[in-house]
Amino acid sequence: MLGLGDAYAFSIRQYVLHGGKQEGVSLIEIDNGHLVFTVIPTRGMGILEARAGDIALGWDSPVREVVNPAFIDLEARGGLGWLDGFNEMLVRGGFAWSGHPGLDGEHRLTLHGRAGNTPASRVEITVDPEPPHRIRVRGVVREATFKFADFEMATEISTLPGEAAFRISDRLTNRSDYEREFQILYHGNFGPPLLEENAAFVGAIRDVAPFNTYAARDLDSWPRYRGPTGHFDEQAYTLWPYANDDNRTTAMLHNAAADRGVAIRYRVDQLPGLTLWKNTDTRQQGYVTGIEPGSGFPYNRAIEREAGRVPTLAPGASREFELDYAILATRDQVTAVDDEIAGIRAGRETHIHTEPPVKR
Amino acid sequence: MLGLGDAYAFSIRQYVLHGGKQEGVSLIEIDNGHLVFTVIPTRGMGILEARAGDIALGWDSPVREVVNPAFIDLEARGGLGWLDGFNEMLVRGGFAWSGHPGLDGEHRLTLHGRAGNTPASRVEITVDPEPPHRIRVRGVVREATFKFADFEMATEISTLPGEAAFRISDRLTNRSDYEREFQILYHGNFGPPLLEENAAFVGAIRDVAPFNTYAARDLDSWPRYRGPTGHFDEQAYTLWPYANDDNRTTAMLHNAAADRGVAIRYRVDQLPGLTLWKNTDTRQQGYVTGIEPGSGFPYNRAIEREAGRVPTLAPGASREFELDYAILATRDQVTAVDDEIAGIRAGRETHIHTEPPVKR
Amino acid sequence: MLGLGDAYAFSIRQYVLHGGKQEGVSLIEIDNGHLVFTVIPTRGMGILEARAGDIALGWDSPVREVVNPAFIDLEARGGLGWLDGFNEMLVRGGFAWSGHPGLDGEHRLTLHGRAGNTPASRVEITVDPEPPHRIRVRGVVREATFKFADFEMATEISTLPGEAAFRISDRLTNRSDYEREFQILYHGNFGPPLLEENAAFVGAIRDVAPFNTYAARDLDSWPRYRGPTGHFDEQAYTLWPYANDDNRTTAMLHNAAADRGVAIRYRVDQLPGLTLWKNTDTRQQGYVTGIEPGSGFPYNRAIEREAGRVPTLAPGASREFELDYAILATRDQVTAVDDEIAGIRAGRETHIHTEPPVKR
């Protein structure tokens, strides 16, 4: 228990879970005096949940345990083993691939790649000695396979005392001597209280297309959410956001009353694709929406490559990804982000496409 | 070390194994003053062995370690990875499937499902404060896969001080909002001293059929056992027991002299199928018989569904399964169970079928 | 810390790694007063590295962590999961198979088998009380799959105080009641400072053949090494060594100046095949050569069987494998081993084959 603080008393707790498939999982809980969030070093430095006042970011998954990757088999159920551990507010897909399972040439990929089920190394927590005393949790996630991959992601998740916000600053490096394709997906997931009937997604969107034919059915209402709906399953939309002159964009999810929400700010030159995943199934099934900035979309890498959406990293090269998540607790805050997004849009239109953005 | 007892001094020990693939496996040993049995929370609350006097329930598997599921890959050898950890007296197959590996539609199943290799949560041990002071080990085994499964099994394994018996009381709940198929198999396994040449299975059996054509060869002698037999491999029979007016049945394995045995009592409305697995191979290969009450038989789920033997659980619904295992230490006890089984049969015939009960 | 010694102060340290995929890995470091080497009980009693003075045996793999097998999925990437943990100076392939992945009949094999990712049991360290006080690390590695495999390898890795050498003494037993095929491969791996441009392999070789057509291109220069070479990937050669009257042979890798090297001495009746793996790719990719005595060659077991190179073990039978590794620190030592190899060769020729030794 560490409490320096000045206006805000903050604290940092590290603990290890025991029992069931949680055995040995390490968690770091940061309380900045207002926002409390939990990082999971054992699961690729994902974020289990974040909470400020009565607003929680995260969701209630049928997967109730924080599962140690030692008990995960990503190959299970034909490459869907990732679903045995999926319950975080934020889990990264990546790095050699980040999309759907199945063959890419002779390589059989598994859902969303391996990053989210890779225990992090060199985990450290620092607090800036000077004001504003930013609190930083750092870790390194490696995906190294002899001859095939040598990725290293240095992540920092940080927050300022008293703020209802946190920042993810990732640096992905190709340590190989060869140019390598990579994919990354920031699979951020939000349930109630933000998600509810008539909750809305707001973004400065240039183009929108359904992920598949089932999603095409409800294309008209793509930015609005249903309440928990039995047998709804999921619909997803692929979005290309507009950005401001600094290449920055903002996306928001707000509740039906537009008085609570979450804002996500990031750079479209770092993360050009944005997937909106509407899993408005019943509460018990996991009522949740994913707002997922990525290097592309979560189709299988073979499809993404064909569409020209698989970037590469030169030998030794790095890419940085920075995302800011802010909890919006009042109508004024939601309205301010709405205005911010309108400013980014600057009157430009959203083009609606009725077909999925794939070549097959 | 806890010893209340009155006539019987009982004790409960919990310990953790180290070394090899046993690393981190937790065991709970219950000594009720007469019977000693060992529960494995790390392996789905299976039972490693039970022993009273000179009679042991269990067997000597070539798998000599109590393997931590972290080191098991159920997908190995084409879905036979379960065989890398199989050595318990009692292991449950289940819950999304419990039979043979292979494709069921687009789903590739693995042998006997995942329950037996799932570490249990919320493990607790209680002793009733009032006589007869039942000793209870409880735990929860979850099989949760986002979108596919959300099963929770609450198990209690209990015994009375001084008795050569224990009871399994399981409650399987479908926590999903959708009706779900399930399968469960109580794979109870017995080697010497009960299993030997001319040992016998006794049950009130309405129908018997060979599991496959190899088993059909020895259909005439289905309830009798061979001694350890090189190159015998295994034969299995599918049985449908009769029950008494309370839907209860009893099965027994006794030795050649009919003066030692094990009785298994359970309800046929809970567990209609009974598989008799005769693995009377050599001692070193694992000389063992399985007496396996189940929701059906251990064919692949696709075959079981076609035969109408895959039950479902409504949203939120539970099914209970209760099995009593008793060690029989004298000729009188064996004879009494023989009479009990004859009473259940009540003169009704056993129908012998020469073909396996499958539709293909 | 244990230091008996007389002329040489030796020490033995055991420690456990934490963080990342190393979590829980146990290491044993033996310092015999001159040579320091590290055994990995958690990874099948492999040897991470050995070092005497400024000569290190081992290599820098892109896999920088000593990975706990709990985090390895051998089935990943179509059976190439072994590459996620490959960084040892010495890792054994085996025991049910030890070669390339892919189907062998209905069995889908994974690269180099399971031995290297199997935690060892019964690990013990002893020091002979009498001179010369041999230091011995022992462990047992089991590969047991009900009905399919029941192998037990008792290994001893030992050294004499003050010597720049260590010995591997393995005894592989088939505990099954049936004759079983087995394969074993001692995958010894060496990078700089021994491996460099114009480093050389020296052996008393009767026959040499390329492993595949890519290796056939450079057959003329098979015993010489390139410096780190971008896009070189790897070339391998299959070798059949000559032996002396005691069936013993010696292989050597020495640097370009022929003043530093490593000698490997073993019996060709125990290990008839020798694979020379030249992975002279860039430093960052893992610049390394493998000198790999084995029961055969690392083709898929189906190919090896067809070529008559898959040995069997009778029920209960054992085979012993003994290999001596010695660091050569001077020109005189290298020359002496060169002479020793010439003595084994005794003027006999090396037959060069242009085609891989496979029947398809």
Side-chain angles (χ1 to χ4, degrees), chain A residues 99-357:
Chain A
H100 282 188
L103 282 174
D104 175 8
E106 63 179 0
H107 292 271
R108 188 168 292 279
L109 311 184
T110 58
L111 180 63
H112 291 324
R114 306 163 81 182
N117 284 279
T118 301
S121 303
R122 305 209 309 257
V123 178
E124 59 181 32
I125 302 165
T126 65
V127 180
D128 289 1
E130 299 303 316
H133 300 303
R134 184 170 281 271
I135 306 163
R136 304 171 191 270
V137 183
R138 295 198 187 98
V140 172
V141 177
R142 294 192 181 97
E143 183 178 354
T145 303
F146 182 66
K147 286 195 184 292
F148 289 99
D150 193 2
F151 293 109
E152 184 175 291
M153 183 194 74
T155 183
E156 180 187 283
I157 303 167
S158 67
T159 188
L160 288 178
E163 282 201 346
F166 62 90
R167 174 176 294 168
I168 298 173
S169 307
D170 290 352
R171 184 181 179 87
L172 179 68
T173 302
N174 169 23
R175 297 192 60 172
S176 155
D177 268 340
Y178 302 120
E179 186 177 51
R180 295 287 190 220
E181 291 183 339
F182 76 94
Q183 297 185 302
I184 197 163
L185 185 74
Y186 288 87
H187 204 307
N189 308 298
F190 310 96
L194 301 186
L195 185 64
E196 60 184 346
E197 189 175 359
N198 288 320
F201 170 87
V202 184
I205 303 304
R206 190 191 74 209
D207 293 272
V208 57
F211 193 82
N212 55 27
T213 51
Y214 176 49
R217 298 203 316 207
D218 292 315
L219 183 57
D220 289 348
S221 58
W222 72 267
R224 282 275 155 191
Y225 290 94
R226 301 189 188 210
T229 306
H231 301 284
F232 179 79
D233 200 7
E234 62 179 39
Q235 290 180 337
Y237 298 90
T238 56
L239 314 176
W240 288 258
Y242 287 116
N244 66 14
D245 291 346
D246 288 334
N247 279 315
R248 298 188 64 80
T249 198
T250 300
M252 173 170 61
L253 169 72
H254 67 65
N255 66 351
D259 59 5
R260 301 204 282 191
V262 58
I264 306 159
R265 298 180 175 93
Y266 65 95
R267 299 176 61 99
V268 297
D269 52 348
Q270 292 176 350
L271 298 164
L274 176 60
T275 303
L276 182 62
W277 173 59
K278 298 164 75 177
N279 195 81
T280 51
D281 208 313
T282 71
R283 292 291 296 262
Q284 195 70 10
Q285 295 300 113
Y287 178 67
V288 61
T289 184
I291 300 178
E292 312 172 16
S295 55
F297 300 111
Y299 295 102
N300 185 281
R301 192 176 61 190
I303 295 172
E304 286 290 287
R305 186 184 299 110
E306 213 174 332
R309 287 190 297 259
V310 182
T312 59
L313 273 168
S318 297
R319 291 257 193 128
E320 294 187 351
F321 308 97
E322 193 174 277
L323 302 96
D324 283 285
Y325 291 81
I327 291 178
L328 313 173
T330 66
R331 182 175 307 275
D332 285 353
Q333 289 177 353
V334 170
T335 303
V337 173
D338 218 34
D339 292 347
E340 174 185 327
I341 291 169
I344 294 168
R345 174 184 288 274
R348 294 176 286 186
E349 278 193 34
T350 297
H351 306 288
I352 311 270
H353 306 266
T354 56
E355 295 291 325

Side-chain angles (χ1 to χ4, degrees), chain C residues 151-171:
Chain C
F151 292 109
E152 184 176 290
M153 183 195 73
T155 184
E156 179 187 281
I157 304 168
S158 68
T159 188
L160 288 178
E163 282 200 346
F166 61 90
R167 172 175 296 169
I168 298 173
S169 306
D170 290 353
R171 183 182 181 88

